[in-house]
């Protein structure tokens, strides 16, 4: 990580996880994990992105996670409803992408559930140090990898 990238990540971390003495004491007192330099590399670029961009990344992540279910779905109306919910270009881009290893074999859920899965992945990928702001943060490396792909797909359409 070069100097500029590290400085930007430090600023991002400071915005989302206070670093003053009081903040560190509060983290210890509440049993939260301390912030480490390793957390810098785990901070996603989309953390400070506008809500619309984060929603698009979450939608792409949910679609990627459920990609096997999308590929096996026979109902045209169900696929059309999902495509309408996330946008045709994003749906098509995800369906053209290589199927990731971390995919679910479940039946295709409703469009709302696909978006909820993506939102859960957004939080799961975040470092544990951000649990106070994002309760679903789990430092999940697999989710981080899936989100990196989703972010690339969403950005390619912007």
């Amino acid at each position: 990580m070069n100097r500029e990238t590290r400085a930007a990540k430090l600023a991002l971390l400071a915005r989302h996880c206070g670093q003053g003495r009081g903040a560190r004491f509060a983290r210890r007192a509440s049993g939260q994990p301390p912030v480490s330099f390793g957390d810098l590399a785990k901070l996603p670029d989309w953390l400070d992105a506008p809500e619309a961009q984060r929603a698009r990344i979450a939608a792409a992540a949910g679609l990627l996670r459920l990609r096997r279910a999308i590929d096996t779905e026979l109902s045209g109306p169900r696929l059309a409803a999902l495509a309408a919910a996330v946008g045709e270009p994003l749906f098509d881009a995800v369906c053209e992408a290589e199927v990731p290893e971390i995919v679910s074999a479940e039946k295709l859920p409703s469009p709302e559930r696909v978006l909820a899965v993506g939102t859960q992945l957004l939080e799961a990928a975040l470092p544990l140090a951000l649990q106070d702001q994002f309760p679903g943060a789990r430092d999940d490396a697999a989710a981080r990898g899936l989100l990196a792909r989703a972010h690339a797909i969403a950005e390619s359409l912007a």
Side-chain angles (χ1 to χ4, degrees):
M1 183 179 314
N2 68 28
R3 178 182 230 155
E4 290 174 1
T5 302
R6 191 175 89 216
K9 294 277 186 173
L10 278 170
L12 183 63
L13 186 63
R15 280 193 297 280
H16 290 278
C17 191
Q19 290 300 300
R21 192 176 341 190
R24 288 192 305 270
F25 177 76
R27 293 182 76 70
R28 274 194 311 273
S30 66
Q32 292 180 326
V35 180
S36 70
F37 281 107
D39 292 336
L40 289 178
K42 297 173 186 175
L43 288 178
D45 295 333
W46 50 260
L47 193 56
D48 272 350
E51 187 60 36
Q53 182 181 1
R54 286 170 55 173
R56 190 171 53 247
I57 294 167
L63 291 171
L64 282 171
R65 175 78 168 80
L66 296 164
R67 180 60 195 285
R68 199 163 273 129
I70 292 169
D71 289 348
T72 59
E73 180 61 49
L74 299 175
S75 171
R78 286 189 63 150
L79 291 173
L82 183 55
V86 300
E88 294 278 341
L90 182 63
F91 183 80
D92 291 342
V94 169
C95 287
E96 291 171 6
E98 184 178 325
V99 178
E101 290 180 27
I102 175 178
V103 293
S104 175
E106 66 190 63
K107 186 177 174 183
L108 186 64
S110 68
E112 295 80 21
R113 180 69 189 130
V114 172
L115 297 174
V117 165
T119 301
Q120 289 169 348
L121 285 167
L122 280 178
E123 284 201 16
L126 294 172
L128 293 173
L130 296 177
Q131 274 185 331
D132 57 334
Q133 188 174 2
F134 300 97
R138 292 192 328 251
D139 200 10
D140 185 335
R144 226 179 352 270
L146 190 69
L147 277 161
R149 292 183 65 188
H151 187 216
I153 291 170
E155 288 301 302
S156 73
L157 299 173

